[in-house]
Amino acid sequence: MRVPVRLIAWLLAGAPALAVAADRASVQLPGVSVQIGGVGGSEQVSSTLLVALALTVLSLAPSILVCMTSFVRISIVLSMLRHALGLQDTPPNTVLVSLSLFLTAFTMMPVFERVHVEAVQPMMSGRMSIEKGIAAGLQPMREFMLRQTRPEELATMAELSRKEPPADAAETPIMQLIPAFMLSELRIAFQIAFAVFLPFLLIDMLVATLLMALGMMMVPPATLALPMKILLFVLIDGWSLLVRSLLGTIR
């Protein structure tokens, strides 16, 4: 079978073009690489963890305020003072709680500054991990609570937990230290409240005795005792004296 001459010539003329096309097909295309995270991925993750940690701390802030600061002692003493004066709703609860909050912030400011310098700043700058930051932040709070807690309360909590008390009080687990600290705060608060009640109790007894001696048994003693107690409290500058004495008990 004869091949036409024109077909052979056409094939010979198109061979270079086919070779060039084959060479082009053999050239590899530039690859596409995908990088997960990219530049700054670790910083973004750490910032996310810090935000989550901050939200957790804010959600637990009321419990931390009540359990690990001097708020319990201050609020109980101020509430007992209102009962000692014989006033039911004066000052209002909002005023007493607000005063307790500001006095707590005043007394705890050195501790909070240590927490900020030793834990918060290193974590924000990335120089300390979250686990080490939490441990460093708990250390100033632990030292504060240990200064206020009696050894008897620590021994009680260790006995209730059915564990041997540590040789050093600084090694007390935080789950034993917090309830022991709160028990000590309640004890001290009631001791101060008893000292606050005594002068006002004497005024009540004196007024009641005078009314009975004068035969005015139909007059309620509280009617005369209340203005006398308020007058005495104002004359001795009771609020400043109480706050000075109360904050002086916090070490």
Side-chain angles (χ1 to χ4, degrees):
M1 182 178 182
R2 296 181 180 181
V3 180
V5 178
R6 292 182 178 181
L7 178 60
I8 296 175
W10 180 82
L11 291 175
L12 292 175
L18 292 175
V20 172
D23 292 339
R24 290 181 179 178
S26 63
V27 176
Q28 295 181 356
L29 295 175
V32 178
S33 61
V34 178
Q35 183 178 1
I36 299 176
V39 179
S42 60
E43 290 81 357
Q44 184 178 2
V45 173
S46 62
S47 301
T48 304
L49 291 178
L50 286 176
V51 170
L53 179 62
L55 292 176
T56 303
V57 172
L58 289 177
S59 63
L60 297 177
S63 300
I64 295 174
L65 179 66
V66 172
C67 299
M68 303 175 67
T69 65
S70 56
F71 179 80
V72 173
R73 183 187 309 188
I74 296 174
S75 60
I76 288 178
V77 171
L78 294 180
S79 180
M80 289 290 189
L81 172 65
R82 183 173 63 181
H83 290 293
L85 287 171
L87 301 172
Q88 299 298 325
D89 298 321
T90 306
N93 290 329
T94 306
V95 175
L96 293 182
V97 172
S98 301
L99 181 59
S100 301
L101 286 175
F102 280 102
L103 291 178
T104 302
F106 178 78
T107 57
M108 298 296 296
M109 190 58 63
V111 180
F112 292 157
E113 288 178 354
R114 283 191 56 191
V115 173
H116 181 71
V117 172
E118 298 178 7
V120 177
Q121 287 184 350
M123 282 195 300
M124 295 296 293
S125 61
R127 293 183 286 108
M128 183 180 294
S129 63
I130 295 179
E131 293 80 6
K132 293 182 179 180
I134 294 175
L138 282 177
Q139 186 60 30
M141 301 297 297
R142 177 189 293 273
E143 294 177 1
F144 170 78
M145 289 189 290
L146 284 173
R147 289 197 301 268
Q148 318 301 323
T149 307
R150 298 192 312 159
E152 289 80 0
E153 274 76 16
L154 292 175
T156 300
M157 295 311 302
E159 181 181 356
L160 292 176
S161 63
R162 298 180 181 179
K163 296 181 180 180
E164 291 293 333
D168 188 4
E171 300 177 357
T172 304
I174 193 68
M175 297 305 295
Q176 297 181 19
L177 179 58
I178 291 178
F181 168 74
M182 294 188 68
L183 291 176
S184 296
E185 289 293 290
L186 290 172
R187 179 179 179 275
I188 296 173
F190 275 86
Q191 288 178 345
I192 299 174
F194 177 76
V196 171
F197 257 96
L198 279 180
F200 300 112
L201 180 61
L202 293 176
I203 292 176
D204 289 332
M205 294 177 61
L206 179 60
V207 170
T209 302
L210 289 176
L211 290 177
M212 290 183 64
L214 295 174
M216 303 174 62
M217 306 179 70
M218 300 299 295
V219 179
T223 304
L224 298 179
L226 179 59
M228 293 182 62
K229 290 188 288 187
I230 294 176
L231 178 62
L232 175 64
F233 192 71
V234 172
L235 289 178
I236 65 175
D237 195 11
W239 288 109
S240 298
L241 183 61
L242 178 65
V243 170
R244 187 188 302 271
S245 302
L246 181 58
L247 298 186
T249 62
I250 301 174
R251 300 188 295 272

